[in-house]
Amino acid sequence: MKENAFERSGLKKTPNRILIYQLLEKYDYPVTAEEIHLDSYRLCPKPIDLSTVYRTLNTFAEVKLVRREVNDEKKNIYSILPENDHHILVCVECNKRVHIDGCPYHEVNEEIEKKTGFHIEDHNIEIYGLCPDCQHKKHE
């Protein structure tokens, strides 16, 4: 668990919050509250109520511990907010997700701010294409 991130958030460390954060950490991709809820059933003698999972994830999003996004099915999905910028490559065939570190968009954000006066606090970029495995399959 990222102790520093939790401490900086100012949130009290309750058993449910710690468990939900730990469950989120094990995923390499964004998940729904329902997935976290199901994991709590599999891993805990006393599962966490779904309403508690939702409230906790929303609290985590408010204090910037997690990122809340909306997936293709219009469901909220959550992931640990990385300490460094990163973006995700998504294969349109197999849905493989590959994280890329670093951010080439800082200059673009500055330009957008200059043109619009809009202060950009965060961004989320997913880049869609074909992974090497799927490219190879298409050419067979």
Short mmCIF file of all heavy atoms in Angstrom, two decimals, residues 11 47 68 71 89 139:
data_model
loop_
_atom_site.label_atom_id
_atom_site.label_comp_id
_atom_site.label_asym_id
_atom_site.label_seq_id
_atom_site.Cartn_x
_atom_site.Cartn_y
_atom_site.Cartn_z
N LEU A 11 -7.06 11.09 4.91
CA LEU A 11 -8.14 10.19 5.30
C LEU A 11 -7.72 9.30 6.46
O LEU A 11 -6.57 8.89 6.56
CB LEU A 11 -8.52 9.28 4.13
CG LEU A 11 -9.17 9.93 2.93
CD1 LEU A 11 -9.42 8.90 1.84
CD2 LEU A 11 -10.47 10.61 3.32
N PRO A 47 -17.19 -9.78 4.17
CA PRO A 47 -17.15 -8.94 2.96
C PRO A 47 -17.66 -7.52 3.22
O PRO A 47 -18.42 -7.27 4.16
CB PRO A 47 -18.07 -9.66 1.98
CG PRO A 47 -18.43 -10.95 2.61
CD PRO A 47 -18.09 -10.89 4.04
N ARG A 68 -11.27 8.12 -11.26
CA ARG A 68 -12.59 7.60 -11.65
C ARG A 68 -12.78 7.94 -13.12
O ARG A 68 -12.61 9.08 -13.54
CB ARG A 68 -13.69 8.23 -10.82
CG ARG A 68 -15.08 7.77 -11.20
CD ARG A 68 -16.18 8.36 -10.37
NE ARG A 68 -15.94 9.73 -10.01
CZ ARG A 68 -16.16 10.24 -8.78
NH1 ARG A 68 -16.62 9.49 -7.82
NH2 ARG A 68 -15.91 11.51 -8.54
N ASN A 71 -16.38 3.74 -18.40
CA ASN A 71 -16.00 2.80 -19.46
C ASN A 71 -17.03 2.80 -20.60
O ASN A 71 -17.99 3.58 -20.58
CB ASN A 71 -15.78 1.39 -18.89
CG ASN A 71 -17.04 0.72 -18.38
OD1 ASN A 71 -18.15 1.21 -18.56
ND2 ASN A 71 -16.87 -0.39 -17.71
N LEU A 89 -1.97 2.12 -23.65
CA LEU A 89 -2.22 1.64 -25.00
C LEU A 89 -3.24 0.52 -24.89
O LEU A 89 -3.10 -0.37 -24.06
CB LEU A 89 -0.93 1.09 -25.62
CG LEU A 89 0.23 2.07 -25.76
CD1 LEU A 89 1.48 1.33 -26.22
CD2 LEU A 89 -0.12 3.17 -26.74
N HIS A 139 -1.85 -10.68 -40.23
CA HIS A 139 -1.02 -10.89 -41.44
C HIS A 139 -0.75 -12.36 -41.73
O HIS A 139 0.00 -12.69 -42.63
CB HIS A 139 0.30 -10.12 -41.29
CG HIS A 139 0.09 -8.65 -41.37
ND1 HIS A 139 0.10 -7.86 -40.25
CD2 HIS A 139 -0.17 -7.83 -42.41
CE1 HIS A 139 -0.12 -6.61 -40.61
NE2 HIS A 139 -0.29 -6.56 -41.92
#
